[in-house]
Amino acid sequence: QVQLVESGGGLVQAGGSLRLSCGASGTASSPNVFTANTAKWYRQAPGKQREWVALMTPHGPTNYRESVKGRFTISADSTSNTMYLQMNNLKPEDTAIYYCNVEVHMKPYWGPGTQVSVSS
């Protein structure tokens, strides 16, 4: 089992920055769950479907949704088993609940989400 918990959300003005964190724990989370498996950040805005935002693969390549390229950066710290999403130049359309996700042995795990609100 893997338990994920996001943090770092909040209210920020357009143009501002936030860094989201996702901590992992549980029997299947060791030793480095985010660097040993494909890990992703998703978001869900009110009235919209959940959409992926960024992903990182075990061998390093990352990918981003077109609308966040150049503004968001996904990374992970294997020593603390934590994944991050650095979000710069935030826009009102980035307002959503952000979720971290990791697949371990083909089973997906999700955190409860953290709210990001960007005011214009």
Side-chain angles (χ1 to χ4, degrees):
Q1 291 294 319
V2 178
Q3 289 81 47
L4 303 176
V5 179
E6 304 92 341
S7 62
L11 174 64
V12 64
Q13 287 189 330
S17 298
L18 285 173
R19 188 176 80 155
L20 305 183
S21 300
C22 176
S25 62
T27 56
S29 68
S30 297
N32 307 307
V33 69
F34 296 117
T35 55
N37 302 280
T38 296
K40 302 177 185 178
W41 284 96
Y42 284 78
R43 67 186 181 187
Q44 187 167 17
K48 294 188 177 181
Q49 288 190 332
R50 190 172 298 189
E51 61 185 21
W52 79 274
V53 175
L55 68 85
M56 59 187 302
T57 60
H59 300 294
T62 59
N63 200 6
Y64 299 90
R65 186 172 197 81
E66 191 64 34
S67 60
V68 308
K69 282 183 179 178
R71 300 188 298 122
F72 290 12
T73 303
I74 187 172
S75 63
D77 179 356
S78 59
T79 62
S80 64
N81 225 3
T82 303
M83 180 170 66
Y84 301 99
L85 185 67
Q86 178 67 44
M87 306 186 296
N88 298 327
N89 190 22
L90 282 160
K91 303 176 180 181
E93 52 264 41
D94 295 319
T95 294
I97 299 174
Y98 283 71
Y99 302 89
C100 59
N101 163 273
V102 66
E103 272 198 24
V104 181
H105 304 309
M106 301 182 68
K107 181 176 181 179
Y109 294 91
W110 295 87
T114 185
Q115 176 71 48
V116 171
S117 299
V118 184
S119 63
S120 58

